[in-house]
Amino acid sequence: MGRQAWILRGLALPVTDALLRGVDEVLRQAPLRHMLTPGGRRMSVALTNCGALGWTSDEHGYRYTRTDPLSGNPWPAMPAAFAELARLAAQRAGFAGFEPDACPLNRYEPGSRLSLHQDRNERDMDAPIVSVSLGMAAVFLFGGHARTDPAQRHPLFHGDVAVWGGVDRLRYHGVLPVKDRPHPVLGSRRINFTLRKAG
């Protein structure tokens, strides 16, 4: 996708069973919810978190917190399968030594989308972003360093892992509205989780 941005096709396929068990465990402890933007708009993608830090959004802005605002409890521990896959993907993409401490987990349903944005709430901008796709396919938008720059379109399929960092770390990215093409296991859902070094 860029000088330091890659799609690793099918990298997660050998461990999808473990990943889905991890997803279920996270959701048991911290259910998905539709957060609000600082402007008060409801996000179309349902979200929760695992790891030491969790990404949240409300009228006070975007930020990371150590506790789930709904329960007051710490976010669920990051499943070992998530962290192991993130380390492998980062190493394959040229970012050895990646140790994520935050993992927002998103559920897309037909019509859900993610507008172009930068991931810039993390303190460690030297670490990459590792994004894992499960379930329905989606079209990933990977733009430039300005919101108005043209965006490439890349299909993401079940088991694909995208990694971007270095000179590409702050490129704008998003997801086009997801089409209803059910996956054999997950049906009309796309699960995506992104692993970051936020603290």
Side-chain angles (χ1 to χ4, degrees):
M1 296 189 295
R3 284 170 53 198
Q4 292 182 283
W6 309 85
I7 295 175
L8 306 174
R9 295 290 183 195
L11 185 68
L13 289 177
V15 293
T16 52
D17 288 347
L19 296 176
L20 290 172
R21 287 194 297 270
V23 169
D24 289 342
E25 181 59 29
V26 170
L27 297 187
R28 277 195 290 271
Q29 299 176 64
L32 291 158
R33 75 289 308 260
H34 290 272
M35 294 186 180
L36 298 177
T37 68
R41 297 180 62 185
R42 180 180 182 267
M43 294 184 175
S44 73
V45 176
L47 181 143
T48 189
N49 292 276
C50 61
L53 296 167
W55 186 89
T56 61
S57 174
D58 57 23
E59 66 274 15
H60 302 296
Y62 306 121
R63 63 196 181 281
Y64 282 95
T65 63
R66 293 194 174 274
T67 57
D68 181 343
L70 288 186
S71 68
N73 297 324
W75 294 105
M78 187 182 300
F82 287 23
E84 290 167 6
L85 178 61
R87 286 191 286 267
L88 173 63
Q91 184 175 24
R92 293 271 182 94
F95 301 99
F98 178 51
E99 291 294 338
D101 60 5
C103 181
L105 189 156
N106 303 295
R107 183 195 65 204
Y108 292 76
E109 295 179 326
S112 297
R113 63 187 295 271
L114 191 62
S115 59
L116 284 172
H117 67 283
Q118 294 172 303
D119 291 332
R120 56 183 315 131
N121 298 121
E122 298 76 26
R123 292 183 181 177
D124 187 350
M125 290 294 171
D126 292 327
I129 302 290
V130 176
S131 178
V132 181
S133 294
L134 301 172
M136 288 196 303
V139 176
F140 183 59
L141 299 174
F142 199 63
H145 288 89
R147 189 185 297 274
T148 55
D149 289 343
Q152 307 166 26
R153 297 186 177 197
H154 299 277
L156 292 176
F157 303 103
H158 180 70
D160 287 347
V161 181
V163 184
W164 62 97
V167 297
D168 295 314
R169 173 62 177 74
L170 287 175
R171 284 175 63 163
Y172 279 85
H173 57 281
V175 177
L176 288 177
V178 174
K179 295 182 179 179
D180 191 3
R181 294 172 179 164
H183 182 266
V185 175
L186 292 176
S188 293
R189 290 182 298 159
R190 174 181 185 252
I191 300 295
N192 165 253
F193 53 91
T194 59
L195 299 111
R196 302 116 181 263
K197 179 67 176 173

